[in-house]
Amino acid sequence: MATPLTDSTTDPGCRVLGLRERKKQRTRDALVDAAHRLFLSQGYGRTTVDEIAASVDVSQRTFFRYFANKEEVALAVMADAEDYFIECLRKRPAAENPLQAMRAAITEAWLVLGRDDQSGPGGVTAALELFELLENSPTLLAAHLRRTTEQEGVVAGILAEREGLDPAADLRPRLLAAVFGAVVRISHLSWTSDNAAHAAGPDGMITLIERHFDQLGPALAGSWR
């Protein structure tokens, strides 16, 4: 899943997947789901690629057709959510300023991925569970931070294109992308330690994201006294 599942009856503009593509997507999702369940139940370090493949009844060779390594399949639930955010950002109205567009895109992504029909490997619930797993796995956390840095570059490119800027000459797109990424990461950390937000699940995460963005302007430009 890189995006929520749709079909031509609910989204006339979507591309209908062929039978082969749907089969490949189901295999990928099954691997992601199996890996996620194994990581949560027995830990990331103690789970092997062979165990993940066997739980889906496929070979190790098939696993490596979809994922380069164990880190990649572990981060797939979050990577899919991040990719969907990028898709939402690209579609935001041109009239919105960069911060408005990013805020609306992240909220839209969490709302859509938090629906009941998105509770599988690409859903928000799985992503929230992964946040907690990251805290206990330095290797996995490092891989996630590398991907986050890469995503900030993609976001900066989108913002520069929206505003007609040269990102090599104008620092604002990359700076704002980095600040945005920091806000989202702080929201993730807050969710893991906030009992009320944690209990509320995806809704609690959305509330935290909105709260942190409300504080962003005053934190950057307002008086702290």
Side-chain angles (χ1 to χ4, degrees):
M1 169 220 132
T3 61
L5 298 178
T6 58
D7 58 37
S8 58
T9 62
T10 58
D11 184 357
C14 76
R15 182 174 64 90
V16 178
L17 296 179
L19 179 60
R20 181 179 177 84
E21 289 177 299
R22 292 199 302 272
K23 183 178 179 180
K24 290 175 64 176
Q25 187 67 57
R26 285 194 297 269
T27 301
R28 179 190 183 277
D29 287 349
L31 286 167
V32 172
D33 186 51
H36 188 70
R37 286 187 285 103
L38 287 169
F39 294 147
L40 292 177
S41 64
Q42 62 188 36
Y44 174 76
R46 291 191 294 273
T47 301
T48 67
V49 168
D50 284 339
E51 287 177 306
I52 297 169
S55 67
V56 183
D57 198 24
V58 299
S59 67
Q60 185 188 86
R61 181 177 179 181
T62 297
F63 174 92
F64 286 117
R65 288 176 185 166
Y66 292 88
F67 301 101
N69 49 48
K70 194 171 70 168
E71 289 177 6
E72 189 173 310
V73 71
L75 294 174
V77 293
M78 197 171 298
D80 287 350
E82 292 167 349
D83 288 345
Y84 185 61
F85 157 71
I86 293 293
E87 181 181 329
C88 292
L89 179 59
R90 292 185 189 279
K91 295 178 180 179
R92 295 307 306 173
E96 293 178 340
N97 69 44
L99 187 57
Q100 287 174 329
M102 288 191 294
R103 180 171 179 170
I106 193 68
T107 301
E108 177 186 353
W110 278 89
L111 285 172
V112 172
L113 296 176
R115 295 181 324 209
D116 290 341
D117 60 343
Q118 290 297 325
S119 58
V124 165
T125 300
L128 292 176
E129 291 169 340
L130 183 59
F131 294 148
E132 297 183 272
L133 191 64
L134 288 171
E135 297 302 310
N136 298 313
S137 176
T139 301
L140 203 54
L141 179 59
H144 171 61
L145 292 176
R146 286 196 301 271
R147 177 178 167 82
T148 298
T149 300
E150 293 171 359
Q151 188 196 39
E152 286 178 2
V154 174
V155 171
I158 294 172
L159 298 181
E161 183 178 357
R162 283 173 57 92
E163 302 300 314
L165 303 175
D166 178 2
D170 195 316
L171 297 180
R172 288 176 295 176
R174 184 166 285 278
L175 178 61
L176 187 55
V179 171
F180 174 82
V183 171
V184 175
R185 286 194 293 275
I186 291 170
S187 299
H188 294 170
L189 293 172
S190 297
W191 182 87
T192 61
S193 60
D194 187 317
N195 291 334
H198 197 283
D203 289 339
M205 184 65 186
I206 292 171
T207 298
L208 286 175
I209 289 174
E210 292 286 353
R211 183 188 305 166
H212 283 87
F213 273 115
D214 286 341
Q215 297 174 356
L216 179 59
L220 293 178
S223 172
W224 288 15
R225 298 184 179 182

